[in-house]
Amino acid sequence: MDTSFNHLTRRNFVKCLAAGSISVPILMKGLMQNLMAAELDTRPPIIWLKGQTSGIHSAGIWNFPEFPGFLDRFFRIMPPSDINRDFLQSDDSEVASSHILILEGLFTDDPDDILNALIKDFVVVSRVVILLGNDAAYGKHVPEGFMDTERNLLHHVETPYLKLPGAPAHPRHLLGVLNHLVLYGLPELDIFRRPALFFSDNICERCEYRSDFETGHFVRYHGEKEGCLYLLGCKGPVTKNTCPIEKWNGTSSWCVAVGSPCTGCSEPAYPVHGGLGMYGQLSSRDASINSFFVRHLETIAKGTAVLTAAGIATHAISKRASSPIKGQRMPTLEDEDE
Ligand code: SF4
Ligand code: SF4
């Protein structure tokens, strides 16, 4: 089977990737074939520097059992303790100067630390830099003693870079971007420098509960089985990512499908979301929802906050809610004319 993707035009490759119709194993094979075709397999041309990290990105990678073995074989994954000047000055300097550099986590800002200088040198000689995961991509809450990766390493150099955010970042995003880089160069980026092919559509647009969202069929409490999770604080309306089609755990499921609202983990606003937090409900205006039901939900929610405190679940329009909560009137079409 030809998995080199050479038979695909760039447009079709991007379309297939965006639609989620190329699996992780196929992306791995494609990358392998193209790396080998470029005769760069003797020394992996992809260098992955891991800084201080929670390891959350590894969690995403372990979701796909084939991935770690593939990484070991074709990537040069280096913890800070292994980073040294020898690699930059080795006989393989041609390879070193054409490598794709992945930066994950946070790195020291101590100018006297050899690691600090080496990373700057690595960035300058790289063909392209990928900032993997939220720490590297967004640089928020950087603790004392560490760099904001983008501002301190990339703003003042010509090396192109892109971001693959998320908690965790999705392995398919990494593989898709690497394939694109090898075959066609830098993909189109959005305003946050994320690849547009993965970060163009809101989660809601491809969510299985989209019709529930529009028709006002909302889940009222955690554990209720069917319906849209908007009332539980789902950030799907303001989050661009591919989770509904790519899923997690080896493509078996994703957050909303198992009843957990999307927390917008790949957005720059995560986890604060303008003060709402991960589970605060978006206003209908922020969610840009043109729905009669949702326009009235904020009114309903104000009343239900008191009821919820008393142990009564949030009130909403739902097949499971056979009648409105006593004493509270549901919106009617006449309300629209007021
Ligand atoms: S708000 Fe959440 S659950 Fe509802 S349609 Fe959007 S992504 Fe799906
Ligand atoms: S559904 Fe939302 S919270 Fe879940 S992984 Fe995707 S972007 Fe993150």
Side-chain angles (χ1 to χ4, degrees), residues 46-221:
I46 301 166
I47 302 171
W48 185 328
L49 302 186
K50 277 181 187 257
Q52 186 79 18
T53 169
S54 65
I56 188 79
H57 310 114
S58 306
I61 286 158
W62 283 101
N63 268 296
F64 293 88
E66 317 91 331
F67 202 25
F70 174 76
L71 292 184
D72 284 348
R73 190 163 165 212
F74 291 101
F75 288 56
R76 187 185 181 100
I77 300 180
M78 299 169 75
S81 54
D82 286 359
I83 300 171
N84 58 58
R85 203 166 280 285
D86 289 351
F87 181 76
L88 278 173
Q89 294 172 341
S90 70
D91 290 343
D92 293 313
S93 56
E94 206 174 295
V95 173
S97 64
S98 65
H99 63 237
I100 295 167
L101 178 64
I102 299 172
L103 294 179
E104 177 191 354
L106 297 168
F107 298 90
T108 175
D109 70 351
D110 180 355
D112 296 329
D113 191 303
I114 184 72
L115 180 63
N116 184 277
L118 282 174
I119 289 176
K120 286 178 178 161
D121 290 347
F122 261 98
V123 166
V124 170
V125 299
S126 295
R127 177 177 151 198
V128 62
V129 175
I130 297 173
L131 301 180
L132 185 72
N134 287 348
D135 288 342
Y138 296 142
K140 290 187 302 180
H141 316 300
V142 177
E144 200 174 325
F146 291 90
M147 285 188 278
D148 175 321
T149 312
E150 181 179 21
R151 192 177 324 138
N152 297 122
L153 288 179
L154 292 155
H155 272 184
H156 309 297
V157 299
E158 289 180 4
T159 309
Y161 67 98
L162 59 90
K163 301 179 181 184
L164 293 179
H170 202 291
R172 190 197 301 264
H173 293 180
L174 178 59
L175 285 166
V177 160
L178 289 174
N179 270 288
H180 195 289
L181 285 169
V182 170
L183 288 170
Y184 313 110
L186 200 66
E188 186 190 340
L189 304 180
D190 73 359
I191 55 166
F192 299 119
R193 301 192 77 89
R194 305 176 297 192
L197 70 156
F198 295 125
F199 293 94
S200 286
D201 295 326
N202 283 341
I203 294 269
C204 279
E205 284 167 41
R206 295 185 278 194
C207 176
E208 52 257 54
Y209 294 109
R210 173 75 196 192
S211 62
D212 292 324
F213 179 73
E214 290 181 356
T215 55
H217 177 205
F218 296 105
V219 163
R220 301 161 300 167
Y221 52 86

Side-chain angles (χ1 to χ4, degrees), residues 299-319:
T299 315
I300 297 168
K302 278 176 197 153
T304 54
V306 176
L307 298 173
T308 303
I312 300 173
T314 306
H315 170 75
I317 303 160
S318 165
K319 284 175 196 162

Side-chain angles (χ1 to χ4, degrees), residues 203-204 207 209-210 213 227-230 234-237 254 256 262:
I203 294 269
C204 279
C207 176
Y209 294 109
R210 173 75 196 192
F213 179 73
C228 166
L229 302 176
Y230 170 73
C234 189
K235 303 297 186 300
W254 68 292
V256 165
C262 168

